């Protein structure tokens, strides 16, 4: 039954969280992978369900976080990328939906970090630039955070001068260097 599968996925996620708290990374990853597989099956059975798609995306983001905690950055990228197509389509279809924007921004932020850690600096920079575009019509804190993250990504990629320019870019951000 579909609701039983959702309950099972949530149980796997809860167990993964407990195992994560105990630093049992391998077991936590196995439980989170089991949860993601269930969400995959549920989405395949009901592809038009926004709530199931979002739950699946969150599950893969959690899996990426676990891989990151274990230092498996390429696996973290692969897991995080699985959530991106739906979240981008959801945001494109609902640009005024704050939840769609937030979920995509969180996913792209995770990817920015994972790409950097995996040494894929061009993809990390592209992710940071995507966040800048998403934050363009938001408040000063959100825009400043996006500029800071782009600057950090550029600096990590060895592009120090461009990073400093990105920090200075936001007119609303008082900056004394």
């Amino acid at each position: 039954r579909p609701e039983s599968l959702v309950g099972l996925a949530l149980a796997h996620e809860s167990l993964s969280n407990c195992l994560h708290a105990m630093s049992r990374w391998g077991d936590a990853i196995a439980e989170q992978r089991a949860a993601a597989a269930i969400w995959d099956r549920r989405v395949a059975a009901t592809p038009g369900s926004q709530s199931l798609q979002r739950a699946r995306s969150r599950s893969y983001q959690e899996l990426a976080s676990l891989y990151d905690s274990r230092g498996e950055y390429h696996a973290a990228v692969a897991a995080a990328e699985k959530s991106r197509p739906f979240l981008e389509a959801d945001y494109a279809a609902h640009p005024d939906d704050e939840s769609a924007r937030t979920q995509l921004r969180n996913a792209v932020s995770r990817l920015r970090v994972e790409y950097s850690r995996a040494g894929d600096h061009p993809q990390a920079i592209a992710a940071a630039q995507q966040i800048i575009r998403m934050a363009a019509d938001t408040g000063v804190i959100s825009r400043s955070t996006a500029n800071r993250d782009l600057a950090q990504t550029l600096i990590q990629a060895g592009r120090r001068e461009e990073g400093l320019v990105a920090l200075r870019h936001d007119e609303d951000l008082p900056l004394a260097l």
Side-chain angles (χ1 to χ4, degrees):
R1 295 177 31 181
E3 59 274 2
S4 297
L5 286 177
V6 169
L8 183 58
L10 294 173
H12 280 292
E13 289 177 347
S14 294
L15 183 53
S16 176
N17 289 335
C18 291
L19 292 164
H20 173 246
M22 296 167 41
S23 298
R24 291 180 49 188
W25 307 116
D27 294 332
I29 287 169
E31 291 298 327
Q32 192 63 42
R33 288 178 67 189
I38 292 169
W39 290 118
D40 283 341
R41 286 198 311 265
R42 289 294 297 127
V43 165
T46 316
S49 172
Q50 184 184 49
S51 63
L52 288 175
Q53 289 275 11
R54 286 182 176 178
R56 176 187 179 270
S57 295
R58 281 189 301 276
S59 186
Y60 277 109
Q61 291 300 310
E62 286 299 317
L63 183 58
S65 178
L66 290 168
Y67 280 127
D68 177 85
S69 295
R70 194 166 159 170
E72 297 179 29
Y73 305 124
H74 292 285
V77 166
E81 276 291 354
K82 289 186 179 186
S83 68
R84 193 175 194 175
F86 164 74
L87 294 174
E88 287 182 338
D90 189 35
Y91 179 62
H94 308 100
D96 296 326
D97 181 340
E98 196 57 38
S99 181
R101 179 197 307 252
T102 300
Q103 288 193 24
L104 177 58
R105 184 173 176 164
N106 290 345
V108 175
S109 292
R110 157 82 36 212
L111 278 166
R112 178 190 68 81
V113 170
E114 299 308 340
Y115 283 134
S116 286
R117 289 181 176 163
D120 189 345
H121 297 294
Q123 285 286 53
I125 292 166
Q129 291 168 333
Q130 181 179 359
I131 295 166
I132 292 278
R133 290 188 299 275
M134 290 177 66
D137 64 346
T138 61
V140 66
I141 294 172
S142 185
R143 288 192 321 272
S144 297
T145 299
N147 281 326
R148 182 209 59 210
D149 290 348
L150 174 60
Q152 179 185 31
T153 304
L154 288 164
I155 291 167
Q156 288 172 340
R159 295 165 60 176
R160 184 177 184 275
E161 291 303 316
E162 290 173 79
L164 292 175
V165 168
L167 278 176
R168 293 182 184 113
H169 178 70
D170 193 339
E171 306 83 3
D172 297 325
L173 180 65
L175 184 64
L177 291 179

